[in-house]
């Protein structure tokens, strides 16, 4: 399943399928962390994702697949950026916890770094599998008009959402 890293999707007792994450969503978060938290690791991760996608697109245009060496190089760079993120995240001041309940809060940069560490396989799935897109933007565009039609007061008859799922399944195979 292709999604935006919503935590509930990773519960195996509810959703038993293979995951791929929307890298466009992660790139937007990297931009925000770079801009507001001034974390250089986030800008490096952004560049890595952009460059990786550029290489994958070029190879896919000739109906090929990335070499194992290229994939290993990108994964090694990914791991190096994650190591750097741990050092930078430790320097970010964490807001004081208010109240006695719940866990201690973490910064947005820390949460993003943890997501990159935890879901590396799902984030980089587009490197390994040619059928996996970089993001789910096209699928969302395909579904948008179906949902708009459902919400329209002029729409009549049975809901057409199930029709919108077919392009989603076809355009985002795993």
């Amino acid at each position: 399943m292709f999604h935006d890293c919503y935590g509930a999707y990773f519960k195996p007792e509810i959703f038993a399928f293979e995951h791929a994450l929307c890298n466009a969503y992660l790139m937007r978060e990297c931009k925000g962390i770079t801009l507001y938290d001034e974390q250089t690791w986030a800008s490096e991760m952004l560049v890595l994702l952009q460059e990786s996608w550029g290489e994958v697109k070029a190879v896919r245009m000739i109906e090929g697949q990335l070499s194992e060496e290229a994939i290993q190089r990108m994964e090694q760079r990914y791991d190096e950026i994650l190591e750097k993120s741990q050092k930078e995240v430790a320097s970010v001041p964490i807001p004081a916890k208010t109240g006695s309940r719940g866990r201690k809060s973490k910064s947005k940069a820390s949460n993003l770094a943890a997501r990159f560490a935890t879901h590396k396989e799902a984030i980089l799935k587009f490197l390994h599998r040619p059928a996996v897109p970089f993001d789910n933007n096209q699928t969302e565009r395909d579904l948008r008009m179906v949902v708009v039609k459902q919400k329209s007061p002029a729409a009549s008859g049975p809901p057409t959402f199930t029709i919108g799922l077919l392009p989603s399944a076809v355009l985002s195979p795993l």
Side-chain angles (χ1 to χ4, degrees):
M1 179 172 171
F2 210 95
H3 56 86
D4 60 359
C5 207
Y6 181 58
Y9 294 146
F10 290 102
K11 293 184 178 181
E13 63 276 6
I14 300 172
F15 299 104
F17 43 71
E18 215 173 320
H19 300 276
L21 297 183
C22 177
N23 287 299
Y25 180 79
L26 292 168
M27 287 171 57
R28 283 191 295 273
E29 286 194 81
C30 283
K31 287 177 186 175
I33 297 299
T34 301
L35 183 63
Y36 298 111
D37 294 346
E38 299 177 357
Q39 299 273 306
T40 59
W41 73 266
S43 63
E44 290 174 23
M45 188 63 80
L46 174 65
V47 169
L48 172 64
L49 289 173
Q50 290 170 330
E51 289 175 357
S52 299
W53 179 232
E55 284 188 45
V56 168
K57 275 197 309 190
V59 170
R60 286 182 184 179
M61 296 224 5
I62 57 170
E63 296 184 19
Q65 190 170 351
L66 279 180
S67 67
E68 279 302 314
E69 296 83 30
I71 292 172
Q72 287 175 352
R73 178 177 40 83
M74 291 174 198
E75 287 183 342
Q76 180 180 357
R77 195 165 146 208
Y78 184 98
D79 293 336
E80 290 168 359
I81 294 169
L82 280 181
E83 284 180 31
K84 184 176 182 178
S85 76
Q86 297 310 310
K87 294 173 188 166
E88 284 189 40
V89 163
S91 69
V92 174
I94 299 171
K97 184 178 166 198
T98 57
S100 60
R101 298 181 57 155
R103 62 182 170 200
K104 188 176 178 182
S105 64
K106 294 191 271 184
S107 68
K108 290 182 181 188
S110 176
N111 290 334
L112 182 60
R115 223 171 310 138
F116 273 110
T118 305
H119 303 296
K120 175 182 175 181
E121 182 183 334
I123 293 168
L124 298 180
K125 193 167 293 282
F126 74 96
L127 295 176
H128 301 274
R129 308 242 328 252
V132 176
F134 182 73
D135 57 36
N136 63 349
N137 290 348
Q138 183 61 49
T139 303
E140 288 179 357
R141 278 188 222 100
D142 291 344
L143 290 175
R144 188 168 294 128
M145 286 313 296
V146 173
V147 172
V148 168
K149 183 177 177 186
Q150 273 187 327
K151 292 180 180 180
S152 170
S156 60
T160 57
F161 189 69
T162 53
I163 295 169
L165 290 177
L166 182 60
S168 171
V170 172
L171 292 175
S172 297
L174 288 180

